[in-house]
Amino acid sequence: MASEAVSQQHAFEAGRLDAGSDNWGDRFWEALIGAVDSRLRAYYGIKEFTEDPRCVLRAATIPAPAAAALSDGTVIEAGALIGELHLWNEHLPRYAKVGPDLGWACTARRRFIHSMRLLAARAEYDPELRQVPAFRAEAMLATRLGLTQLERLAGRLGFEAIAIAPTTLGALHTLGASLNVWCLTRAFNPGALPRQRWRRERHELWISRAELIARYGRGAANPRAGLDSAGRRAAAPT
């Protein structure tokens, strides 16, 4: 997290690129990758679980690729239905050319927590999500970060970080995922591209449904937003 002071001129912009931008390259990449990403989301069943413009997550339900045992006692068998989380790239705060500052980091963290609260609310009443024992996400991080630091950061948010065992198939998956991250960054966060490291490692992040509800649900301590009449969390301020 950047430690520089927040200036009055923020070093990020939220949402999609401005429609009036004269950078045709940015518009081209956003349109191209956006179309490809939309097709892939439809193929893998990745859906929005809210219409909240501040939500930075999407979700799908998939068979667990392997068995997993979480620290709270939740056991997931291989093939069992689980939730899988994906970033909603169009809603992520974008870097400016000067890079991220403390304001960007705070906004990103605030939106992620708000998104988890939205997910917890949905998981409490949605028939599809009520049956999953846990949620899984893949983190594509620079190798210099290391699993120890990832575990520390993930733990603060209620997740458990698990290293993925190296295999030939896994290496090909990581290569493809690294390319995907580069393309999404170029399309939706071009200011971050100069800081993009090509070589990355995949790690799994897990949070049990019980932990999700306990930490981010309606009964959690100091909730920042309630549910509306449709069972959705109201938008939190940016």
Side-chain angles (χ1 to χ4, degrees):
M1 182 179 294
S3 59
E4 57 192 280
V6 181
S7 64
Q8 292 182 348
Q9 185 175 8
H10 292 297
F12 65 90
E13 302 173 37
R16 303 174 70 89
L17 295 174
D18 295 336
S21 172
D22 58 358
N23 190 331
W24 67 267
D26 287 345
R27 297 200 304 272
F28 169 79
W29 273 97
E30 184 180 12
L32 174 63
I33 301 304
V36 173
D37 189 49
S38 179
R39 293 290 183 91
L40 289 174
R41 292 199 313 271
Y43 179 80
Y44 289 108
I46 302 168
K47 303 174 183 178
E48 293 84 9
F49 53 85
T50 177
E51 296 179 358
D52 192 317
R54 296 179 181 88
C55 182
V56 298
L57 295 174
R58 293 181 171 111
T61 51
I62 65 167
L70 307 185
S71 61
D72 67 352
T74 300
V75 176
I76 299 98
E77 297 180 357
L81 197 65
I82 61 169
E84 185 173 60
L85 302 179
H86 297 264
L87 290 176
W88 192 336
N89 297 285
E90 298 89 331
H91 287 183
L92 293 173
R94 293 192 292 113
Y95 289 9
K97 291 182 179 180
V98 296
D101 63 4
L102 185 58
W104 179 91
C106 290
T107 296
R109 182 179 184 277
R110 186 161 56 243
R111 290 193 182 186
F112 181 81
I113 291 175
H114 179 61
S115 302
M116 292 296 289
R117 288 174 176 148
L118 290 165
L119 177 65
R122 187 63 180 254
E124 290 189 86
Y125 75 87
D126 185 282
E128 185 176 14
L129 295 183
R130 287 180 67 178
Q131 63 180 317
V132 302
F135 292 84
R136 169 187 176 272
E138 283 193 1
M140 292 291 300
L141 300 173
T143 56
R144 63 182 179 179
L145 182 64
L147 184 58
T148 300
Q149 290 174 279
L150 177 61
E151 287 176 338
R152 186 180 303 115
L153 176 61
R156 294 173 184 168
L157 298 171
F159 285 84
E160 297 179 42
I162 301 175
I164 299 176
T167 63
T168 301
L169 183 60
L172 293 175
H173 188 168
T174 299
L175 180 62
S178 296
L179 177 60
N180 184 54
V181 169
W182 189 94
C183 291
L184 290 171
T185 302
R186 178 61 184 88
F188 298 110
N189 198 356
L193 208 57
R195 300 166 181 80
Q196 182 91 347
R197 292 173 60 91
W198 174 257
R199 186 181 179 186
R200 289 171 175 263
E201 290 182 351
R202 285 189 307 130
H203 299 285
E204 291 183 347
L205 300 176
W206 287 85
I207 184 170
S208 69
R209 183 179 180 277
E211 177 65 18
L212 172 71
I213 301 301
R215 182 178 290 257
Y216 298 105
R218 286 174 291 182
N222 301 320
R224 293 184 57 185
L227 295 178
D228 61 20
S229 59
R232 298 169 297 194
R233 273 201 187 278
T238 55

